[in-house]
Amino acid sequence: MYRTALRNVLAHKGRLLMTALAILLGTAFVSGTLVFSDTLGQAMKNSFAKSYTDVSVLVTDPSAGSRMGPRNKEDAKNTAKLTDATVKQIAALPGAAKARGVVSGFIGVSDKKGNLIGEFWSAMGGNYVPDASGKDSRYPLVEGKAPSGPKEVALDKATAEKGGYHVGDTIRIASNGPALDVKLTGIVTTDDPQITSGGTLTLLDTASAQKMLLTPGQYSSVSVLAKSGTSESALLDQVGNVLPKDHGNFRAETGQELNDEQAKAIASGTDGMKTMLLVFAIISLFVSIFIIANTFTMLVAQRTKELALLRAIGASRSQVTRSVLVEALALGVAASVAGLLAGIGIGAGMQSLIHATSAGMPTGPLVIAPTTIVVTLVVGVLVTVLSAVLPALRASRIAPVAAMSSGDQPATQKSLVIRNVIGSVVTIGGLGLVVMGAATKSSSGRVPVGVGLGLAIIGIFILLPLLSRPVIALVGPLLAKLAGTPGKLARRNAVRNPRRTAATAAALTIGLALVTGLTVLGSSVSDMVDKAVTSSMKADYDVTLATGDLTPELAAAIAKAPGVAVSSPVRRDYWEFNGAPHSIRGYDAAGFEKLVQPKMVSGSAAALKQGQILVDSDMAKKENLAVGSGVKVEFHPGSEGTLTVGGVYEGNAMVSEVLMANSEITKHVEDSYLSEVLVKGTDGPSATLKQSIKDATGNNPVVAVKTKQDMRDEFDKVLTFALNMMYGLLGMAVVIAVIGVINTLAMSVFERKREIGMLRAIGLDRRGIKRMVRLESVVISLFGAVIGVALGTFAAWAINRTLISSLPTLSTVIPYGELLLFLALAGLVGLFAALWPARQASKLNILESIKTD
């Protein structure tokens, strides 16, 4: 029996090739994901291992550089800072070889066109600390000299090259305040992984760096190197003893602890990426299951006589079952090995792509872990064998007497009835859970919605054979009218074997359901943001800083710019109202109604001028508030008061839960966070006003002056990028689905040789045969696509309903144009998938086909 099974594998190479390709693609995705994530993780660990090579203990002040005022009693008490005195105390410790004060923060560098070089999140600034020789060992000079005054800086070599700068050039830099013109005095190199990975580095002398990034005399951290013979833990104890008692949030850690934390963070980041990629790999494998099961079902049907003869000459049912499973095992092993090799190539390709698009990204040799090999092979083989179990059981039930028949066995309807009953129960139960969860309109409904969607999807897959007849029947008249006899035959062929049609369409259903769900969710969120920006913002421009933390000086400079009629800095904070934390946003009361237009439910926006607050309708409902209500507020522990509600406005994603006058906020918090400045021009938005605002900030490269349309476009750009990435990852599942359609049609043509020969004999020409097969493929593809689009839209609606509590203005928006495009593409997929099977069908010899057993 085993020799027979292996002979069958070799005898049906063409039939199994497409199935093997589906397994290969699915396993390649798995192995490629594991290879790429392991390789990137190891490369990053190797690169970042250099971060703390000269650090035994690092003392950091997390609050250094923060412009936020004291947030609670403890913060108010803890006024200690890392200063020169701290550095000297630490340097004098018996176990310390040297200690140095480090200043660090954000400093962006402008290119010659006024744009920021690199990304803002990787733009670093710091202090150059020369030793007795006049050099800083952390940053070797390759050209020029060290910065020594407030108007001098040094840049890393890569940044200087990107900007086209040379020693002696005047360059523009910026932090959280106005931009500055400074002289480039030196160019350095560094092995800091953040810089070598594409970041920018700007160095100033210590006093200038402190003034720009912190406060005079303050350091962000103190780096300590231990003497020979002193352990890091011993030095850590010594450092802890000299830190001031009111040091507050100072953190002292050893170099090993820092390395361990960094390694953990890298592992966490790569694990998250690996998990996301593996989810899409699992989706591809899930799609492969339908193709594999379909293939083996059809192979068993084609070999009815052969298997019946084996039973007739003494083969037992278990032997027949094992023979089919051995075929699946052989196919799974071969395809999984090929998938593993292809995955290694995919991993190498992904690494090259990342390195090409992000030149500073660390790279290294491919990491092929034993786990990758084992997981890929086990998953591939298990998926293949499990997919063949049901076909194997069907094969074992073939009666020996079937060997004497023609081989065309009538299909039984009993199993379909049982299947439809089970499918209906599962589907109705799942839909009920989804509706129940969606009705909560809160996060509490996410679990029932998730479970319900899972059950509904399973139930619909079970019901696909039942659904195929009525859905495909709808296009019957159209096919007959457009294509005549080939159209009628295509419709009948598509519903002749409901199980086969369902298994073929299921692969496309999965892909289209996911794509549709993502598209509807994306359109809904985009519409929410668009409406929020349009309805709430009356300002002409929204001025933001890349770092998100503006200075009062910058806001004042913008207010004085020519052409500015009204402006207001926007302050943000979180306070406790009636014991619950809520976000607040502050505006200058005098210009509020000219810049922001919340949709008032009751009261008036003018109440801000009386020192009252405005609350959104959701908060008002939860806290039972109305105009005139007093609210107990805890500004920070130890500081409480009561504020009066002056108005209630409709919830808006672009506006906080509570609106206040800036003057009221500053009464309770010394220095709150400034996120942006809203500007209204005397003559509306114009290029002149925009340039005037830019000039007021000193043409700061990190300042963005955005209109409402710019804000929409910016959000849509991020959303589009995310969706395109998801579409790309789902592309593998769609490719596998196409392979499934080709596979099914090719086998269907083989099964229907006699029928096709008879059609040719009674006058249907080659073109008619091709048209019949193509239309059959298009019908099956569109059937799967229609079910997938409907399922994806329903899933997106249910998910949106569970987000209403956090996004009250979110509503489900159905992008009909895009959904129709998906259906059209599904039809093209069906047409493409039928090209080869249709050609093969048209080439069949009439007499040989009619003689086929």
Side-chain angles (χ1 to χ4, degrees):
M1 291 301 296
Y2 295 128
R3 286 198 299 270
T4 301
L6 293 175
R7 178 183 61 79
N8 286 329
V9 171
L10 296 175
H12 302 294
K13 302 184 201 68
R15 303 183 199 177
L16 297 177
L17 176 62
M18 303 303 283
T19 302
L21 187 56
I23 303 168
L24 185 151
L25 290 175
T27 52
F29 205 161
V30 173
S31 62
T33 295
L34 295 174
V35 169
F36 171 67
S37 55
D38 288 343
T39 300
L40 181 61
Q42 188 59 51
M44 292 181 70
K45 287 178 185 176
N46 293 340
S47 175
F48 281 85
K50 303 173 183 177
S51 298
Y52 303 108
T53 52
D54 60 346
V55 177
S56 301
V57 173
L58 185 69
V59 182
T60 56
D61 180 2
S63 65
S66 171
R67 298 182 183 276
M68 301 291 284
R71 314 311 300 161
N72 52 50
K73 279 183 177 180
E74 296 303 317
D75 286 341
K77 290 180 180 179
N78 299 326
T79 58
K81 296 179 180 179
L82 296 175
T83 63
D84 286 317
T86 313
V87 175
K88 289 178 181 178
Q89 282 182 299
I90 294 174
L93 292 171
K98 65 177 181 179
R100 65 188 306 155
V102 178
V103 180
S104 61
F106 166 81
I107 297 181
V109 183
S110 171
D111 62 17
K112 293 182 178 179
K113 294 181 180 180
N115 300 316
L116 183 69
I117 297 176
E119 301 293 340
F120 78 89
W121 44 264
S122 61
M124 292 177 58
N127 60 326
Y128 187 93
V129 185
D131 54 22
S133 65
K135 298 179 179 179
D136 188 331
S137 58
R138 294 178 303 171
Y139 309 115
L141 276 165
V142 294
E143 190 178 345
K145 67 181 185 67
S148 59
K151 292 291 184 178
E152 294 183 354
V153 299
L155 294 178
D156 67 282
K157 187 177 180 180
T159 301
E161 290 175 350
K162 289 176 186 176
Y165 292 127
H166 303 282
V167 172
D169 288 349
T170 297
I171 64 175
R172 177 158 291 183
I173 64 172
S175 183
N176 291 330
L180 302 173
D181 288 326
V182 294
K183 182 180 179 181
L184 178 62
T185 63
I187 296 175
V188 304
T189 59
T190 177
D191 60 1
D192 186 324
Q194 185 167 339
I195 307 305
T196 57
S197 297
T200 63
L201 176 66
T202 306
L203 298 172
L204 300 86
D205 67 278
T206 297
S208 300
Q210 289 173 332
K211 183 178 179 181
M212 187 171 193
L213 299 173
L214 305 173
T215 56
Q218 184 183 10
Y219 293 101
S220 308
S221 59
V222 178
S223 173
V224 193
L225 182 64
K227 286 181 178 178
S228 177
T230 302
S231 67
E232 290 186 347
S233 57
L235 180 58
L236 180 65
D237 291 337
Q238 294 178 22
V239 170
N241 291 331
V242 300
L243 289 177
K245 299 303 180 184
D246 59 345
H247 63 75
N249 294 322
F250 288 177
R251 292 179 60 192
E253 299 171 282
T254 65
Q256 186 59 52
E257 289 173 337
L258 293 167
N259 277 314
D260 291 344
E261 287 177 10
Q262 189 168 253
K264 186 176 179 181
I266 292 171
S268 176
T270 54
D271 285 349
M273 176 186 63
K274 182 190 295 185
T275 300
M276 183 188 72
L277 293 173
L278 282 175
V279 166
F280 289 94
I282 291 169
I283 291 170
S284 298
L285 283 170
F286 186 60
V287 172
S288 299
I289 289 174
F290 291 94
I291 298 170
I292 299 165
N294 209 18
T295 298
F296 278 99
T297 299
M298 296 175 74
L299 284 174
V300 167
Q302 290 171 14
R303 290 164 48 204
T304 298
K305 275 192 173 184
E306 177 187 328
L307 294 172
L309 281 170
L310 288 173
R311 293 276 286 114
I313 61 176
S316 66
R317 287 190 174 187
S318 61
Q319 285 179 310
V320 172
T321 301
R322 286 199 299 270
S323 71
V324 176
L325 292 179
V326 167
E327 288 183 45
L329 179 64
L331 180 65
V333 170
S336 298
V337 170
L340 173 64
L341 297 176
I344 293 172
I346 290 174
M350 291 174 70
Q351 184 191 26
S352 299
L353 178 64
I354 291 292
H355 188 61
T357 55
S358 304
M361 186 66 70
T363 186
L366 284 179
V367 177
I368 306 171
T371 305
T372 299
I373 299 173
V374 172
V375 168
T376 301
L377 296 179
V378 169
V379 166
V381 171
L382 276 179
V383 165
T384 307
V385 173
L386 290 176
S387 300
V389 168
L390 287 178
L393 292 174
R394 290 195 191 104
S396 69
R397 296 191 184 113
I398 295 175
V401 72
M404 296 179 287
S405 71
S406 65
D408 296 328
Q409 302 299 313
T412 174
Q413 296 299 314
K414 180 180 179 182
S415 60
L416 270 181
V417 172
I418 296 173
R419 176 174 179 158
N420 293 340
V421 171
I422 295 173
S424 298
V425 171
V426 174
T427 302
I428 292 172
L431 294 178
L433 277 175
V434 172
V435 172
M436 183 180 72
T440 64
K441 296 184 181 181
S442 68
S443 58
S444 63
R446 291 173 189 171
V447 172
V449 165
V451 173
L453 284 174
L455 290 174
I457 290 170
I458 293 171
I460 288 173
F461 284 163
I462 296 173
L463 287 175
L464 279 178
L466 176 67
L467 296 173
S468 64
R469 291 183 182 277
V471 173
I472 293 176
L474 294 175
V475 299
L478 180 62
L479 288 175
K481 187 175 182 180
L482 294 178
T485 299
K488 293 179 182 178
L489 291 170
R491 184 191 67 80
R492 291 176 181 174
N493 289 336
V495 297
R496 174 187 295 179
N497 190 328
R499 290 190 186 90
R500 181 189 302 163
T501 297
T504 306
L508 280 172
T509 297
I510 296 169
L512 265 296
L514 292 170
V515 169
T516 299
L518 288 173
T519 303
V520 173
L521 285 172
S523 298
S524 301
V525 173
S526 180
D527 177 74
M528 177 195 70
V529 172
D530 183 61
K531 287 180 178 177
V533 171
T534 304
S535 64
S536 65
M537 182 174 164
K538 294 176 68 177
D540 296 324
Y541 291 103
D542 180 59
V543 185
T544 59
L545 208 61
T547 57
D549 186 7
L550 285 92
T551 62
E553 295 79 12
L554 193 61
I558 293 170
K560 296 176 182 177
V564 173
V566 183
S567 74
S568 171
V570 180
R571 299 179 181 274
R572 299 194 187 194
D573 215 323
Y574 280 88
W575 291 349
E576 288 197 358
F577 292 78
N578 288 341
H582 292 282
S583 61
I584 65 171
R585 195 175 293 194
Y587 300 87
D588 288 347
F592 174 74
E593 293 182 86
K594 295 180 181 178
L595 299 169
V596 183
Q597 188 179 26
K599 188 175 180 181
M600 300 303 297
V601 176
S602 60
S604 169
L608 292 185
K609 296 177 182 178
Q610 282 76 52
Q612 298 177 339
I613 63 173
L614 308 180
V615 299
D616 74 8
S617 52
D618 188 52
M619 178 179 170
K621 183 178 179 181
K622 287 180 181 178
E623 304 292 342
N624 194 27
L625 300 176
V627 174
S629 297
V631 188
K632 184 180 178 182
V633 184
E634 186 175 36
F635 310 109
H636 52 76
S639 176
E640 298 179 348
T642 300
L643 297 177
T644 303
V645 176
V648 178
Y649 59 90
E650 190 176 281
N652 188 311
M654 299 296 291
V655 180
S656 293
E657 298 168 289
V658 181
L659 303 182
M660 296 181 65
N662 282 330
S663 57
E664 291 298 313
I665 294 178
T666 54
K667 287 180 181 178
H668 309 288
V669 177
E670 292 183 6
D671 191 9
S672 55
Y673 171 67
L674 297 184
S675 63
E676 60 205 293
V677 177
L678 297 181
V679 175
K680 186 80 172 176
T682 52
D683 300 314
S686 65
T688 302
L689 175 58
K690 185 173 183 177
Q691 189 57 50
S692 176
I693 296 171
K694 289 287 288 183
D695 290 342
T697 65
N699 279 322
N700 194 319
V702 297
V703 169
V705 183
K706 296 176 286 189
T707 62
K708 286 190 280 190
Q709 188 58 49
D710 292 333
M711 295 170 70
R712 294 189 197 111
D713 293 344
E714 190 176 80
F715 178 81
D716 286 340
K717 183 179 179 181
V718 174
L719 186 62
T720 301
F721 174 79
L723 288 176
N724 287 341
M725 183 178 69
M726 296 294 184
Y727 293 156
L729 293 171
L730 286 172
M732 185 69 76
V734 175
V735 169
I736 295 174
V738 174
I739 291 172
V741 177
I742 298 173
N743 204 18
T744 300
L745 287 173
M747 288 191 161
S748 178
V749 167
F750 179 85
E751 279 186 351
R752 290 166 18 214
K753 268 187 174 182
R754 179 183 293 175
E755 175 189 323
I756 292 171
M758 291 295 293
L759 289 172
R760 290 292 316 282
I762 62 176
L764 191 62
D765 60 10
R766 292 179 186 272
R767 184 179 299 176
I769 294 294
K770 286 183 179 179
R771 189 179 301 168
M772 176 187 72
V773 176
R774 289 171 185 162
L775 287 174
E776 179 183 349
S777 176
V778 170
V779 167
I780 292 174
S781 298
L782 285 175
F783 165 61
V786 167
I787 300 298
V789 167
L791 188 58
T793 303
F794 176 72
W797 167 82
I799 293 170
N800 278 344
R801 297 278 291 183
T802 65
L803 298 173
I804 288 178
S805 59
S806 52
L807 300 171
T809 58
L810 180 67
S811 60
T812 301
V813 175
I814 300 176
Y816 293 101
E818 292 180 60
L819 300 190
L820 288 174
L821 177 62
F822 293 158
L823 293 176
L825 290 175
L828 288 176
V829 164
L831 192 62
F832 170 78
L835 292 178
W836 181 70
R839 188 181 179 193
Q840 294 301 109
S842 68
K843 286 183 176 181
L844 291 176
N845 182 281
I846 297 176
L847 293 178
E848 289 182 0
S849 298
I850 293 174
K851 288 192 303 179
T852 299
D853 289 333

